[in-house]
Amino acid sequence: TVNATPAAITGTTTICTGATTTLSNTSTGGAWGSSNPAVATVNSGTGVVGGASQGTVTISYANGCGSAASTTVTVNSSPAAIAGNSPMCVGGTTITLTNTSTGGAWGSSNPAIATVNSGTGVAGGVAQGTVTISYANGCGSAATVTATVNATPAAITGTTTICTGATTTLSNTSTGGAWGSSNPAVATVNSGTGVVGGASQGTVTIS
């Protein structure tokens, strides 16, 4: 039997944990090997590679003729939970979303509300609202998170003259804010609802 020097290895070199792919080489008489079976195993005779854990590994094929052929196989795990989510402001500072799983791409369900860089996970607010940000790498289900974008506070609306002991509800079309009173001895305000209660005669700034 005459064997040729190993040719280039062919086949899919990106797989998921728990999945397999078959690599091949046109040269005969060789055996397959893995530099790290904890990441990916390979059947020495068939070239079937199995993903064991996330990472990269060198798969080689040698037959004693010349140098062994090798290729890098990447193993990706199913997307983990997305980290780094926090409310954004329209046109304000961006946030960077992260995922410990490799090989994926980011996407936004509505770029008119928030964009996200497909490679880096950097998200920016465009308009007020909520949007689903996803991360997918083809392994299992995509990971998703709901991102909130708030606009700069608009003008406060509602009745601004009340009697002691009475209440009025102020409102603002912008989301994500909290209400406050400059002098609760004159008028209190519920931080979440904007309900103002008159405590004593005077004027007060509600923000």
Side-chain angles (χ1 to χ4, degrees):
T1 301
V2 180
N3 297 320
T5 300
I9 295 171
T10 58
T12 300
T13 56
T14 300
I15 59 174
C16 303
T17 54
T20 61
T21 185
T22 301
L23 301 180
S24 59
N25 197 289
T26 56
S27 306
T28 55
W32 296 90
S34 169
S35 65
N36 189 352
V39 173
T41 60
V42 63
N43 184 291
S44 62
T46 63
V48 173
V49 177
S53 64
Q54 184 168 282
T56 57
V57 62
T58 299
I59 301 296
S60 59
Y61 178 82
N63 64 0
C65 300
S67 300
S70 63
T71 190
T72 299
V73 170
T74 300
V75 181
N76 299 317
S77 61
S78 298
I82 295 172
N85 185 34
S86 62
M88 295 174 281
C89 295
V90 174
T93 303
T94 59
I95 62 172
T96 300
L97 302 175
T98 59
N99 197 289
T100 57
S101 306
T102 54
W106 298 89
S108 168
S109 64
N110 191 348
I113 292 177
T115 60
V116 63
N117 184 291
S118 62
T120 64
V122 173
V126 178
Q128 184 169 284
T130 57
V131 62
T132 299
I133 302 294
S134 60
Y135 177 82
N137 64 0
C139 300
S141 299
T144 62
V145 70
T146 299
T148 300
V149 181
N150 299 317
T152 301
I156 295 171
T157 58
T159 300
T160 56
T161 300
I162 58 173
C163 302
T164 54
T167 62
T168 185
T169 301
L170 302 180
S171 59
N172 195 288
T173 57
S174 306
T175 55
W179 296 90
S181 169
S182 65
N183 189 352
V186 173
T188 60
V189 62
N190 183 290
S191 62
T193 64
V195 173
V196 177
S200 64
Q201 183 170 290
T203 58
V204 63
T205 300
I206 301 296
S207 58

